[in-house]
Amino acid sequence: VEDLFEMTGPKAQAVLPVLKRVQEVYPCYWYGVDREYRPIEVKLMGRLSFGEVFGAASQDQLFGFLAHQMEQLIRVKFPACCIAARQLVDSTLTIVDLQGLSWWEMTNSNAKGFVSRLVNLQEKNYPETTGKVIIINAPSIFSAIWSFIKPLLAERTLAKISIFGCDAKQWKPALAKLVDADNLPTEYGGTAGTIDQCR
């Protein structure tokens, strides 16, 4: 972990060559903070192409990259938020946008293995960093996908998750309660510019 955070040592050297490629094809970004000064992560999972992701990196390299991102969160983003808030900040607000979600992308064997390993990484190593998760634009097929994901999550994590369908009139007010407009992209009812401008 120390090597990954500092980007030194053999494990980090395995991650460095693919870092830029993974960032280009793995659509997860950080945007400001919510009203509790928690860093906001936006996961555009509807845009995710597992073919592109696994073409950019091996699973070991990909999870090395994800572990590095989590260590950056804990060691850099959380301390910065604590200073700004003048209080302890040790969890995130995550917005998972499923617009454009493909049944094929989420049901192929590579996708299932990736999701299972990703949940295991989060639950075993960083369980308390999840403050709140808002899933939006969930299509009807998501119920089948959720039936696979839900048993992998601890009860404490499930209690932090809210799921909304594609009706923005339902999920935009939920986001507005948590985040000031200037920290939200315009697609989500904010004034911080479009998602691509905020990246």
Side-chain angles (χ1 to χ4, degrees), residues 147-167:
S147 68
F148 165 72
I149 298 173
K150 187 176 179 179
L152 304 175
L153 299 170
E155 287 297 325
R156 66 176 181 274
T157 303
L158 289 171
K160 301 172 183 177
I161 299 174
S162 298
I163 302 174
F164 296 88
C166 299
D167 186 354

Side-chain angles (χ1 to χ4, degrees), residues 53-72:
V53 169
F54 294 134
S58 69
Q59 280 215 24
D60 285 343
Q61 289 173 325
L62 180 59
F63 279 91
F65 164 76
L66 294 174
H68 174 259
Q69 294 292 91
M70 291 304 299
E71 293 299 321
Q72 288 277 5

Side-chain angles (χ1 to χ4, degrees), residues 29 39 41 44 57 64 70 97 105 124 127 147 155 177-178:
Y29 314 106
E41 182 182 23
L44 303 175
M70 291 304 299
D97 190 347
E105 288 287 355
K124 285 192 173 181
S147 68
E155 287 297 325
K177 289 180 180 178
L178 297 170

Side-chain angles (χ1 to χ4, degrees), residues 50-173:
F50 282 103
E52 291 183 354
V53 169
F54 294 134
S58 69
Q59 280 215 24
D60 285 343
Q61 289 173 325
L62 180 59
F63 279 91
F65 164 76
L66 294 174
H68 174 259
Q69 294 292 91
M70 291 304 299
E71 293 299 321
Q72 288 277 5
L73 169 67
I74 292 169
R75 304 186 193 201
V76 178
K77 288 184 172 64
F78 282 159
C81 290
C82 289
I83 292 171
R86 298 185 180 182
Q87 65 185 38
L88 177 64
V89 178
D90 59 1
S91 64
T92 63
L93 168 65
T94 300
I95 302 170
V96 181
D97 190 347
L98 300 180
Q99 184 174 17
L101 183 71
S102 161
W103 173 258
W104 183 89
E105 288 287 355
M106 295 307 298
T107 56
N108 73 73
S109 58
N110 285 336
K112 287 185 176 180
F114 172 82
V115 170
S116 179
R117 190 171 172 184
L118 178 62
V119 171
N120 186 62
L121 172 72
Q122 180 74 32
E123 291 287 276
K124 285 192 173 181
N125 299 284
Y126 310 101
E128 299 307 322
T129 60
T130 300
K132 180 67 179 175
V133 179
I134 304 287
I135 299 175
I136 63 173
N137 293 319
S140 57
I141 61 170
F142 182 68
S143 58
I145 299 165
W146 182 242
S147 68
F148 165 72
I149 298 173
K150 187 176 179 179
L152 304 175
L153 299 170
E155 287 297 325
R156 66 176 181 274
T157 303
L158 289 171
K160 301 172 183 177
I161 299 174
S162 298
I163 302 174
F164 296 88
C166 299
D167 186 354
K169 292 180 181 178
Q170 293 183 356
W171 55 257
K172 279 188 178 180

